[in-house]
Amino acid sequence: QVQLVESGGGLVQTGGSLRLSCAASGSGRTFRGFALGWFRQAPGKEREIIAAISWSSINTYYVDSVKGRSAISRDDAKNTVYLQMSSLIPEDTAVYYCAARSDIYGTRTWLGSEDYDYWGQGTQVTVAS
């Protein structure tokens, strides 16, 4: 069983930056063999994928709204996945979730909420105008 714990959220001004982290904990605390994703959910909106990274790190995905100002990365030695976000705008305000899916030796990214087996509790990001 993998437990995910996000951190790094908070209040930031427009144009600012944040780095979100998601660490695996619990008895199955490893990201080795897992594809990973970052989702967000703004008030009144559906949860959406914003970035994903394959097990092998060969492939990444970014939704158009964050492309060019976000970077997903993983450190399997630390069992942590990161989402670096810059040039933040108020529309980025949301609860951000990380998710994991067992996909050992996989090379693809996974884009649907239904594709993931494990979820963190979320971390709030608020961008002030």
Side-chain angles (χ1 to χ4, degrees):
Q1 190 76 5
V2 177
Q3 297 172 340
L4 308 180
V5 180
E6 301 100 336
S7 61
L11 175 64
V12 64
Q13 297 296 314
T14 294
S17 300
L18 279 177
R19 187 176 80 158
L20 304 181
S21 301
C22 174
S25 65
S27 60
R29 53 184 181 275
T30 178
F31 278 153
R32 290 184 175 88
F34 285 83
L36 304 167
W38 283 97
F39 290 73
R40 69 184 178 188
Q41 187 166 20
K45 295 187 177 181
E46 294 186 355
R47 188 174 298 188
E48 64 169 345
I49 181 81
I50 54 172
I53 187 166
S54 63
W55 164 82
S56 59
S57 297
I58 289 176
N59 292 310
T60 57
Y61 165 84
Y62 299 93
V63 71
D64 286 347
S65 60
V66 306
K67 197 174 296 182
R69 58 189 186 94
S70 296
I72 187 171
S73 60
R74 61 189 296 163
D75 185 339
D76 288 350
K78 296 182 178 180
N79 298 314
T80 302
V81 59
Y82 304 96
L83 181 67
Q84 178 72 47
M85 300 186 68
S86 59
S87 302
L88 287 162
I89 58 177
E91 288 76 13
D92 292 319
T93 295
V95 178
Y96 285 70
Y97 300 89
C98 68
R101 170 198 170 98
S102 179
D103 192 32
I104 192 166
Y105 303 130
T107 59
R108 64 167 291 180
T109 54
W110 299 87
L111 307 185
S113 297
E114 68 279 5
D115 294 326
Y116 290 87
D117 303 309
Y118 304 102
W119 292 84
Q121 81 290 349
T123 185
Q124 176 71 46
V125 171
T126 301
V127 183
S129 57

